[in-house]
Amino acid sequence: MSDGLPPLDNADIARYSRHLILDEVGVEGQRRLKGAAVLCVGTGGLGSPLLLYLAAAGVGRIGIVDFDVVDESNLQRQIIHGTSTVGRPKLESARARILDINPRCQVDLHPVALTADNALDILRPYDVVVDGTDNFPTRYLVNDACVLLGKPNVYGSIFKFEGQASVFNHAGGPQYRDLYPEPPPPGLVPSCAEGGVLGILPGVIGCIQATETVKILLGKGTTLSGRLLLYDALHMRFRELKLRKDPDGRPITGLIDYHQFCGVPRPGTAVAVAGAEGFARLSPAAVAERRAAGWAPLVVDVRKPHEWDIVKIGFADLFIPHEEVVANGLPGVPKGRPILVHCKSGARSAKAAEALVAAGYADVTNLEGGVLGWAREIDPSLPTY
């Protein structure tokens, strides 16, 4: 064969027989899959089904970018991992599962955070890049790197009961910045860790991403390029929006500082005790120390009511969701009284603290790390979620 594609041996023919009898795949299509290279950024909710199905479909080379470890809270949706791999690097867990499904795959591991310094080198060897991330800095980074390298970017995102999918930078179609030219204000869109996600939802969106990836590699069918697919799992509805290239969009000429662009701190960045927002930030250890010394602020838990049923910090005084605090403040609470606010991990309570300062409360503190931080550092008997 002179087309540069790898041949299929007898074992391949047996394994992929249901593909081979499809007119749209056949022997040539399966050879295309065997000779293809796909990079998945993330091995979480979206990456899990995506990687499983790409491996099963016979994609010959699969690269994975991730630097996290498997946590028990992942197992509700990240089906590539299991109880036996809790505490292990996600890359190792994912590779073992991929090779169990299809030992003929080459699995490349990239145990790093994707950054502007390494993205082009990591993405360059692959034919298609699949975005399985859950944060805006990495989404913009993946998009811009794909544009610079001319790679298709198969996009998916999930939140609560809703998901989105599209294909960017493919066959002259639009890119991610044509959909979202600017990132949302920091804190406006909560993460899945803060807002929750139906565990089955990423399975649906991840499978759509896998389908689009295989179609691109085969050169068959109509992809989601130029279309944004919206999925509402709670009401079982699909709809789609047309997406066009922005004629006034700025050309991408290089990679930038994406955390700065999105207005979010880099992971591991030290947090100042007091910031421009006007409220103090204290670690669980610092709060515990100050309380032991007699500090007695009004403690406000700003999580959702169903979260209070899961776990509470024993010394909380008020339970008011952060949206109500942002909208109405704390009616009846003197503005000179010290206030300590907390949520699950610190993001929602920071917004509540900022709103309280704007409303005239002079002594407001945010518990950094929230209930999870308190359980981790002070009271490990508390359940985490």
Side-chain angles (χ1 to χ4, degrees), residues 44-49 72-80 158-162 192 195-207 231 233-234:
L46 294 172
S48 290
E72 195 168 21
S73 65
N74 302 148
L75 303 183
Q76 164 253 13
R77 65 203 176 281
Q78 299 181 16
I79 59 172
I80 201 167
I158 52 173
F159 181 61
K160 292 189 174 180
F161 292 90
E162 298 180 349
C192 289
V197 61
L198 180 70
I200 304 164
L201 174 66
V204 176
I205 300 300
C207 284
Y231 174 53
L234 193 59

Side-chain angles (χ1 to χ4, degrees), residues 196-267:
V197 61
L198 180 70
I200 304 164
L201 174 66
V204 176
I205 300 300
C207 284
I208 290 172
Q209 290 179 280
T211 304
E212 293 300 285
T213 301
V214 168
K215 285 158 52 182
I216 291 170
L217 296 174
L218 292 174
K220 299 291 185 179
T222 303
T223 72
L224 285 173
S225 179
R227 297 182 289 156
L228 179 67
L229 185 67
L230 306 175
Y231 174 53
D232 179 348
L234 193 59
H235 300 99
M236 195 48 68
R237 294 172 184 162
F238 285 92
R239 61 191 181 99
E240 66 176 54
L241 305 175
K242 290 184 178 180
L243 181 62
R244 296 183 175 89
K245 298 181 73 171
D246 182 357
D248 300 319
R250 295 180 180 178
I252 296 170
T253 58
L255 303 182
I256 61 175
D257 184 330
Y258 292 90
H259 284 86
Q260 182 181 57
F261 174 66
C262 295
V264 298
R266 295 179 180 278

